[in-house]
Structure formats: C-alpha cells, structure tokens
Amino acid sequence: MSKTIIDTAQVEQHNTSQRSALQADYDALGGMLSRRGVDIEALTAKAQTFAVAVPSWGAGTGGTRFARFPGKGEPRDVTEKLEDCAVINQLTRATPAVSLHFPWDKPSDPKALRQQADELGLGFDAVNSNTFQDQVGQAHTYKFGSLTSTSQASREQAVAHNIDCIELGKTLGSKGLTVWVGDGANFPGQSNLRGALERYIDSAKGIYAALPADWHMYIEHKLFEPAFYCSVIADWGTSFAVAQQLGDKAKCLVDLGHHAPNTNIEMIVARLAQFGKLGGFHFNDSKYGDDDLDSGSIDPFQLFLVFNELADATLRDGAFNPAYMLDQSHNVTDPIESLMSSAVEVQRAFVQAALVDRAALAGFQEANDVLQAAQTLKKAFRTDVSPILAMARLRSGGAIDPVAAYRASGYRNQVAVTRPPKAGASGSGIV
Ligand code: LRH
Ligand code: MN
C-alpha cells in the first residue's frame, strides 16, 4: 500500500459527509442512462481505468514574461513536486504518473527518486528534454536554435542532452521522450526554412538511434513562441513527416495550445490516429495563444470532440493507447487544485465520449441525417457525468470532492510552514 500524504481518516470523513448525496445523484443518473440502454456501472468501471500524467513543472506557480506571483509552500525541488503530485493522485485516483522535465528535475540520485515515487504509488510518464534555455556553464548557446542550430557544436550538445534524458528516464522507468524545441526565426530571411528542417531531421536521427526498443519519441509541434516568424516544427504536418522519416518509435504529440485560434484540433487527432502516428497529448486550454490554462476551462466541447475521435480510434484499433499528459501553467490558482480539477475535466471528456451512441451516429452519418448526427454527439456532451466521476474516485479510494477534501486537509498551509520560500523565487516564467 503506497504512502499517503493527506490523512486518510480525514478523506474518509469527507466522503462520509458526501456519500448519501452522491448515491442519490448516481441512482438518478443510472435510471436516466438505463432508459437510454446504457449501464452506468460499466461507465464507472471505465472511468476508473482513466489515467492522465501530471507535469512536474505544473506543481509550482507559473508565470509569464511579465511576472510570476509565487504562492505559499511552493515545491522547491523534484522531491517536493512528487509529494504534491501524490496528493493529486490520492484525491483524484486519476494521475498515477508524473512527467518530468530535465534539467529542471535532474535528481542527484535517480534511484532514490524512483524509490520515493514507488513509496508514493507514482510512476514516470514521458520525460521532457530542454534545449530552449541555456543552462549555467553551458558550452554552446541555443540562442539561434538547438537541434537545428547552424552551429554543429550546439546541435551535438542538444542531441547529447536528449540522450542523457533517455538514460535518466530508463533509470526512472519511463518509456518515452518528449522533444519540443523552440527553434525557429523571428524575421523572414533569418534562416533557410528547408535547411533548418534538414538539420532537425539529422539531429533527431541521432536521438532516435539512442531510443531503447520499447520506448517512444514524441515530437511536439508548436505554431509560434518563442519564435515569432516561423517555428521549425510548426504544425502536425511537419511533425508527421519527420516521424515518418525517423521510424516506428517516433510519434506526434498534440499540445492543445500549440495551434492557431479556431484550428480543428479533433480533426488533426483523427488524421494522426488514422496514420498510426498519434503518440500522445499535452492537455490544457487556451483562448488566444499557448495560454496553458486549465483543461476544459475555456472550450470543454473541443476537449470532448478530441476524446470522441479517440473513442472512434480505439474502436478501430483496440491496441491504440496514446500517452495522456497535462501541460499547464498555474499563474493565479493553487497548482494542486488546478491539476486535480483538470485531471477530472479530461476524465469527464473521456467518459462523455464513451456515452456517444456510435451505432446511431454511424447510421445518421451514412444517411446524411445531419441534425440527428450532430445531436447524437451533443446528447453525450450535455450529459452531466459528475456522479460517475465521483463514484469512480470513491471506489478507487479517492475523494468524492477532491478540492473540498484538499482544502479541509490544510495541506497548503502545512507546506507553507515546512517549505520556506527559496531566495529570489519571484522570477518570471516556468518554475
Ligand atoms: C512548450 C511546452 C512543452 C514544454 C513546455 C514546458 O510550450 O508545451 O511541452 O516543454 O511547454
Ligand atoms: Mn507541451
């Protein structure tokens, strides 16, 4: 039994106070769904299988280039980030894995870190390399790119860093490497567009060659920022073409915030799944740019439509199993509350997508009964599956209302005492 951070008696007390109301809501929803020929118990069991990884870099307060307003009890290192991630999983039972970022989370003793994670009942999802910042004492700058730099020394340094991330990930039990580079240009003419991509592919081949047989390399595209005229891996098409060139272990990762406004992201998901190159997701939400807001907070219907395509893909290929990860920046909320709520919103989209009457939908689509087809999707999206999500948490040993249980625990005030802020913690940007 893994170590729990929040006092289980307190969580039990919370659940006891909420149990009868939940049961009433659950029975009412069960009755409504059974009239639709849907078994609520099957959906709850399915909800209990859902898992999304949390980003270690999301456990601390995020910021923008303008400012960062640190919160109380900020995690000061990877071990404290893991403790916060364990709280999120203890109460939601939906986040059993953590995605680490190197060198931000570079452990002095990887074995000890894995031991700590094991004790907390946590595993490690894909690790993330970082060649979008220069580290203190770094020999070659990434100012003009990393994997695509015209400087061979910078490229080789970036490839070596990614290989170090793989070696570290192997010790931690991870099975994937996510490669996002900020490489690009700010002015027309600054770089040879084709040359830059040729250098990316050449460098990526060096990383790919170091992948263990059972690993995946996730290529993450992004339209802009930090480059503001062109990014070398700007869209799914480029990412797909590169993944094709690299080989079967190379897949495309879709960060929901990395597209132009109004992009039909669910169609990108359908395309990548169709061609066997959909490797995983960074879930978040946005209204304008790469805002990294809480998943489902701006456009929950889009999140539902993404999971509707994932449900369709799973129907076509039972082995289909993309990596689900959150990638958010919590600038004005308690990161633990945001990550818990976001995990629940992604789980909600997963369950709502499972509610879609696919046989009826296919019939309406075949018959071009446009309205009924659209309404079939909307019917699932409009169904409030909150009782199913809460019952899944309760049956998996979590909290009926994670945020309420978390606040009642006083955890944030406790760590505010045990974690005196690190000097100079008020810098900007991701912690
Ligand atoms: C880039 C990105 C990438 C991470 C970083 C923290 O915008 O989405 O996935 O490396 O955020
Ligand atoms: Mn991302």
Side-chain angles (χ1 to χ4, degrees):
M1 183 58 185
S2 56
K3 194 174 93 181
T4 51
I5 306 267
I6 305 286
D7 173 8
T8 50
Q10 247 189 345
V11 178
E12 192 41 50
Q13 189 191 359
H14 159 82
N15 286 340
T16 303
S17 69
Q18 311 249 339
R19 197 185 299 272
S20 57
L22 169 60
Q23 194 61 55
D25 294 347
Y26 189 78
D27 296 343
L29 177 60
M32 195 259 282
L33 290 178
S34 67
R35 287 193 293 280
R36 282 195 211 172
V38 175
D39 170 16
I40 192 170
E41 288 303 325
L43 272 181
T44 303
K46 188 175 177 69
Q48 288 181 269
T49 67
F50 180 81
V52 59
V54 289
S56 61
W57 61 95
T61 301
T64 71
R65 59 184 164 172
F66 300 106
R68 188 179 81 92
F69 303 94
K72 290 192 300 186
E74 293 275 338
R76 299 163 298 176
D77 57 30
V78 66
T79 58
E80 292 180 348
K81 290 177 184 178
L82 279 193
E83 289 167 4
D84 292 359
C85 293
V87 168
I88 296 164
N89 189 45
Q90 181 186 349
L91 300 178
T92 65
R93 290 295 184 221
T95 60
V98 179
S99 184
L100 296 181
H101 219 298
F102 302 131
W104 294 337
D105 299 320
K106 192 171 175 52
S108 49
D109 179 347
K111 286 199 172 55
L113 185 68
R114 184 166 186 174
Q115 176 66 31
Q116 181 202 5
D118 288 347
E119 284 162 10
L120 292 170
L122 293 173
F124 292 107
D125 205 311
V127 295
N128 297 263
S129 59
N130 175 345
T131 59
F132 50 85
Q133 295 172 323
D134 285 349
Q135 305 305 320
V136 177
Q138 186 174 300
H140 307 288
T141 184
Y142 295 138
K143 178 175 181 177
F144 298 112
S146 58
L147 298 179
T148 75
S149 174
T150 55
S151 149
Q152 182 174 348
S154 290
R155 296 199 304 276
E156 288 170 354
Q157 178 183 269
V159 170
H161 165 66
N162 277 277
I163 294 174
D164 289 346
C165 291
I166 294 171
E167 291 312 312
L168 209 36
K170 282 158 66 176
T171 310
L172 295 169
S174 173
K175 295 289 184 195
L177 169 71
T178 297
V179 181
W180 171 70
V181 295
D183 295 24
N186 277 4
F187 300 91
Q190 174 184 340
S191 72
N192 178 285
L193 300 179
R194 193 164 163 176
L197 185 57
E198 284 164 352
R199 291 190 296 273
Y200 179 93
I201 293 170
D202 183 55
S203 299
K205 284 180 176 166
I207 300 169
Y208 188 89
L211 286 176
D214 61 350
W215 271 54
H216 282 114
M217 175 176 168
Y218 301 118
I219 299 168
E220 183 176 2
H221 61 272
K222 183 175 181 179
L223 184 62
F224 74 100
E225 187 204 44
F228 293 107
Y229 166 65
C230 67
S231 295
V232 176
I233 309 294
D235 54 36
W236 76 276
T238 309
S239 175
F240 176 73
V242 170
Q244 289 279 79
Q245 296 231 348
L246 292 176
D248 294 348
K249 291 184 279 186
K251 302 271 188 180
C252 305
L253 183 139
V254 177
D255 183 312
L256 299 194
H258 287 187
H259 306 87
N262 306 326
T263 296
N264 188 327
I265 297 175
E266 59 271 20
M267 189 166 75
I268 293 173
V269 170
R271 294 285 179 270
L272 288 171
Q274 178 172 356
F275 302 128
K277 279 298 182 184
L278 181 59
F281 290 88
H282 278 177
F283 293 114
N284 48 56
D285 213 333
S286 51
K287 188 146 184 70
Y288 305 103
D290 186 21
D291 311 341
D292 281 339
L293 300 173
D294 294 9
S295 299
S297 62
I298 303 291
D299 188 352
F301 190 50
Q302 174 180 263
L303 187 59
F304 162 76
L305 293 173
V306 164
F307 273 89
N308 177 54
E309 292 307 327
L310 294 170
D312 182 86
T314 306
L315 258 183
R316 295 164 183 272
D317 166 9
F320 178 65
N321 180 25
Y324 295 158
M325 296 170 271
L326 299 174
D327 178 3
Q328 300 173 179
S329 180
H330 310 112
N331 304 354
V332 292
T333 58
D334 181 316
I336 290 177
E337 294 187 356
S338 275
L339 287 167
M340 291 195 296
S341 313
S342 301
V344 170
E345 287 316 302
V346 178
Q347 186 182 34
R348 181 186 306 281
F350 171 74
V351 172
Q352 288 174 323
L355 251 181
V356 173
D357 183 340
R358 297 206 169 272
L361 180 63
F364 293 134
Q365 289 169 337
E366 279 310 301
N368 294 310
D369 185 339
V370 176
L371 187 103
Q372 287 295 28
Q375 284 306 317
T376 303
L377 278 191
K378 268 298 188 68
K379 189 174 183 179
F381 176 68
R382 275 199 305 266
T383 304
D384 180 359
V385 297
S386 302
I388 290 172
L389 304 177
M391 188 62 82
R393 286 191 293 274
L394 179 63
R395 291 178 180 172
S396 300
I400 289 174
D401 180 338
V403 171
Y406 168 73
R407 290 188 175 188
S409 76
Y411 178 80
R412 181 56 68 189
N413 293 330
Q414 287 159 26
V415 291
V417 175
T418 57
R419 298 172 180 175
K422 257 198 308 200
S426 63
S428 72
I430 298 177
V431 289

